[in-house]
Amino acid sequence: MAHDDFRSFLAAINASGDSLSIDQQIDWDQELSGIGRLSCERNGPAFMFDNIKDYSGWRIATNPIATWRRMAVAFGLPADTHVRQLYDVYAEREQRPIPPVIVKDGPCKEVVIAGDRVDLFDLPVPMVHEGDGGRYLGTWDLVVSKDARSDWVNWGMYRFMIHNERLLTGFPRPTSHLGKMLLDGYVPQKRAMPIAIAIGCDCLSHLAAAATFRIAGNEADLAGGLRGQPVELVKCETSDLYVPASAEIVIEAEVYPDRVNQEGPYGEYPGYRSGEMGNAICARVSAITHRRDPILTLDTTGFMDSSATSTSISGAIAIRRRLEANAVPVTAVYVPPEGGVHMAIVAVRRGGAEVAQKVLNVLTVRRALISKIIVVDEDVDVFNMAAVVHAFATKCHPGRGIHVTRYQGRANTLTPAYDQEERVARSGASVALDATWPPEWPRDGTPVRATLDSMYAPEVQRRVLERWSALGLK
Amino acid sequence: MAREFETFARDSAPLLCGHEVVITLRDLSPGRKKYRGLNVRAVVSRPPRPGEATLWIRSVVGNRDPQPCSVRIVEELPEAFEGVPYSDFFEAMQRMEQR
């Protein structure tokens, strides 16, 4: 069963040996995030910092589910659960959404600060990387917004930076669901859009917020499905939005329909600071509520952060469903976290140029966050990157196997390969690398892979595996 | 201790023209409010002028120009610039500069 709140998750990863507490004083200005960053790069533990310079009484927890072990614990599974099984569990639970329930009160209301008493510098918001545009409050958050013309409530995970005591700037992309709500429903009416930034909720609610999810879908229902029980929501102090009652901290704000300010640059999930600054949103904070003895959550954004694992799992399932809906003969999809959410491995029953091109078209029609797609035959284990690289290196024709599509207005502006002009125009390209055998090749002329499972008689395979086990090898 | 600020620019040359420019400063004074933002009309000088606050210029990917400048704040501006969400922040500052 999933955890009730972030604190019970912390207790579980502590018990599984996947977290460390640090009680020596640590500087919020780069030092703290530097430790978290190194941990991501070395597949290390989550950290709980109990003693933060300038911020007595506050705690910061880093990179909650940046490893598959911690992701497994978040799902209520043993820490050593294989990633393939995590994908299966996500896909199964995603199909059984559970709507949230409204409660009158919750731990996130233990301390309420509203109006002129609000001061964002009272929160121990770290300077994540040297050279960032400012201090980032929203790195592992859950941002609630509501469509102006329907009941659609969006949860997203978007970055927010402190400008001054009450002003935030943020970068939910214009192609994001929040961006769409703002530009379609509020800006034309010159209305401010209420948002609520919830920090330190149960991990599966954050996973749902970060998920690739359909337009007009309520991620709170998805979170309930992933948890196997409804999320309890409580009403905000200064708007009609509802937030998870167990959140450690909630920032209530209104996005201006007619104001901009500096946002970024920021070292982002692809693993670079790409100079995407200059076009963002600007929000004024109306209230802060938090638990007593609060914990700020921080994803030390960059290579192999929490967004890499969370988008790996939700993105891959979403890709698979979209391909299935478009009659692509897909058998498995993997988004390797090492690819910074820029690469997907797609296995198909029957490959060839036509299928590769179709995969590319389906995955770039609206938003094009993934720009490299390797298409493999179904006998390649998509979770085994050695097997994928082998298939790509040997089966992808260097001329005929490369399929490129270019687009305007929907490219991923965080893709480091794009120049400033492309970033501003949101123009880009995606490529499908076809590592499948052409279906028109006769079976007798198709190369046979020289591996134990392909080039040996079944009886020999059986004997080899028996001897292997008898030798105590895994 | 003399105050220090930093600012971000797509192109630093216009900042160093010797005239008043509109920029967003980040206050580097130590303490809880380090990195607080401040929109100002100011004159930037390189080499730094004695008695003025130090200013460091960073590029849009966050690299700091190793040559320091100084900044004289002429006027504090409102905390945000006019512009629809996602419009170019640097152009919004330019519009304010031309007023």
Side-chain angles (χ1 to χ4, degrees):
Chain A
M1 187 51 76
H3 305 281
D4 286 336
D5 62 7
F6 186 62
R7 295 182 187 199
S8 56
F9 166 75
L10 286 175
I13 58 170
N14 198 34
S16 67
D18 290 283
S19 77
L20 276 180
S21 290
I22 295 187
D23 56 11
Q24 297 107 316
Q25 188 176 82
I26 303 288
D27 197 335
W28 56 265
D29 191 359
Q30 300 177 52
E31 184 188 19
L32 185 151
S33 354
I35 294 169
R37 184 90 291 284
L38 184 64
S39 189
C40 289
E41 293 163 15
R42 296 191 177 177
N43 203 30
F47 285 96
M48 170 66 91
F49 295 96
D50 293 323
N51 183 354
I52 302 158
K53 185 182 173 188
D54 298 327
Y55 289 97
S56 172
W58 285 83
R59 296 178 288 167
I60 295 181
T62 59
N63 311 307
I65 52 173
T67 63
W68 292 123
R69 284 181 60 84
R70 300 203 289 275
M71 177 76 84
V73 173
F75 273 108
L77 300 170
D80 59 357
T81 304
H82 190 274
V83 56
R84 185 195 323 273
Q85 197 181 338
L86 294 179
Y87 268 51
D88 290 343
V89 167
Y90 182 100
E92 182 195 330
R93 294 187 188 178
E94 183 204 46
Q95 295 298 298
R96 298 195 303 258
I98 300 175
V101 294
I102 306 297
V103 295
K104 285 192 172 171
D105 202 1
C108 72
K109 303 284 190 185
E110 287 172 352
V111 177
V112 177
I113 304 159
D116 291 341
R117 293 196 303 125
V118 166
D119 184 348
L120 291 165
F121 293 104
D122 286 342
L123 309 178
V125 177
M127 185 65 173
V128 181
H129 319 93
E130 195 268 344
D132 283 350
R135 293 162 67 174
Y136 272 82
L137 170 67
T139 59
W140 181 250
D141 60 10
L142 181 166
V143 183
V144 184
S145 57
K146 186 177 179 309
D147 187 43
R149 297 165 298 186
S150 71
D151 291 335
W152 175 26
V153 174
N154 177 60
W155 284 8
M157 184 175 283
Y158 309 116
R159 75 187 200 200
F160 278 90
M161 183 185 108
I162 294 181
H163 180 75
N164 64 24
E165 288 76 3
R166 290 191 62 177
L167 202 72
L168 290 168
T169 53
F171 187 60
R173 282 178 263 228
T175 53
S176 70
H177 292 179
L178 185 150
K180 181 177 168 52
M181 282 179 171
L182 177 66
L183 293 174
D184 292 353
Y186 292 87
V187 171
Q189 310 299 322
K190 294 188 168 41
R191 283 175 58 196
M193 183 173 85
I195 58 170
I197 305 168
I199 294 168
C201 310
D202 70 278
C203 283
L204 295 183
S205 286
H206 286 287
L207 180 60
T212 308
F213 203 52
R214 66 183 187 279
I215 283 185
N218 291 332
E219 283 88 355
D221 299 4
L222 170 63
L226 296 178
R227 288 161 45 84
Q229 61 190 60
V231 181
E232 292 189 343
L233 300 180
V234 65
K235 189 172 173 296
C236 284
E237 297 294 308
T238 59
S239 74
D240 290 331
L241 298 176
Y242 288 80
V243 291
S246 74
E248 292 286 336
I249 303 165
V250 177
I251 316 289
E252 301 180 16
E254 285 194 326
V255 179
Y256 285 113
D258 56 0
R259 291 287 185 278
V260 291
N261 215 336
Q262 183 213 323
E263 195 279 338
Y266 182 61
E268 265 287 0
Y269 71 83
Y272 294 86
R273 188 161 49 214
S274 302
E276 71 291 347
M277 67 184 300
N279 53 22
I281 64 172
C282 182
R284 188 161 177 77
V285 177
S286 51
I288 299 173
T289 72
H290 62 77
R291 293 180 74 148
R292 279 189 284 274
D293 196 18
I295 303 168
L296 181 79
T297 46
L298 166 70
D299 199 21
T300 51
T301 324
F303 182 65
M304 297 294 282
D305 58 13
S306 288
S307 70
T309 47
S310 51
T311 313
S312 165
I313 197 163
S314 69
I317 304 300
I319 287 171
R320 179 168 184 161
R321 298 215 193 285
R322 282 169 64 191
L323 293 175
E324 285 170 344
N326 285 275
V328 173
V330 58
T331 58
V333 178
Y334 180 52
V335 174
E338 297 87 349
V341 199
H342 275 64
M343 172 182 275
I345 318 299
V346 175
V348 292
R349 266 187 299 281
R350 184 174 184 273
E354 196 179 318
V355 170
Q357 187 64 52
K358 190 167 185 181
V359 169
L360 186 63
N361 294 345
V362 170
L363 299 187
T364 55
V365 71
R366 193 177 86 81
R367 283 193 290 179
L369 300 183
I370 300 274
S371 52
K372 286 94 191 169
I373 305 153
I374 301 179
V375 185
V376 297
D377 285 312
E378 66 177 326
D379 63 345
V380 175
D381 178 2
V382 295
F383 295 99
N384 180 348
M385 286 306 290
V388 171
V389 169
H390 180 233
F392 166 63
T394 55
K395 293 169 70 174
C396 179
H397 191 286
R400 296 190 299 269
I402 315 294
H403 303 269
V404 178
T405 185
R406 298 177 192 283
Y407 34 76
Q408 291 278 340
R410 59 181 192 276
N412 182 353
T413 54
L414 295 176
T415 298
Y418 296 149
D419 62 28
Q420 288 296 331
E421 213 169 278
E422 289 172 310
R423 227 176 282 290
V424 170
R426 296 201 286 275
S427 65
S430 290
V431 60
L433 304 159
D434 179 11
T436 64
W437 297 127
E440 64 273 17
W441 281 12
R443 187 172 181 277
D444 288 346
T446 302
V448 179
R449 193 169 57 193
T451 54
L452 177 70
D453 63 356
S454 299
M455 207 177 259
Y456 293 82
E459 176 54 24
V460 176
Q461 286 184 44
R462 189 186 58 76
R463 290 206 311 269
V464 168
L465 290 172
E466 278 176 8
R467 286 193 187 278
W468 191 260
S469 295
L471 289 166
L473 299 171
K474 288 187 177 176
Chain B
M1 199 170 94
R3 288 184 83 180
E4 279 195 40
F5 296 95
E6 66 182 12
T7 193
F8 291 78
R10 281 205 182 115
D11 177 7
S12 61
L15 300 188
L16 299 166
C17 64
H19 302 130
E20 287 182 13
V21 291
V22 170
I23 50 177
T24 293
L25 299 176
R26 296 278 150 197
D27 190 341
L28 301 181
S29 303
R32 283 167 75 127
K33 300 214 173 183
K34 189 177 178 186
Y35 303 109
R36 184 182 186 279
L38 188 65
N39 298 334
V40 297
R41 195 179 292 276
V43 177
V44 177
S45 303
R46 181 184 282 168
R49 292 189 172 188
E52 292 186 354
T54 302
L55 177 69
W56 301 97
I57 299 176
R58 288 186 183 272
S59 71
V60 290
V61 294
N63 292 336
R64 192 170 90 163
D65 186 332
Q67 300 295 319
C69 307
S70 68
V71 60
R72 177 169 57 86
I73 297 173
V74 176
E75 178 190 8
E76 277 196 32
L77 299 172
E79 62 182 5
F81 298 100
E82 285 180 18
V84 294
Y86 301 114
S87 59
D88 191 289
F89 156 72
F90 292 104
E91 289 175 9
M93 285 201 298
Q94 268 185 342
R95 285 196 299 274
M96 175 66 95
E97 200 171 296
Q98 286 156 7
R99 280 189 187 172

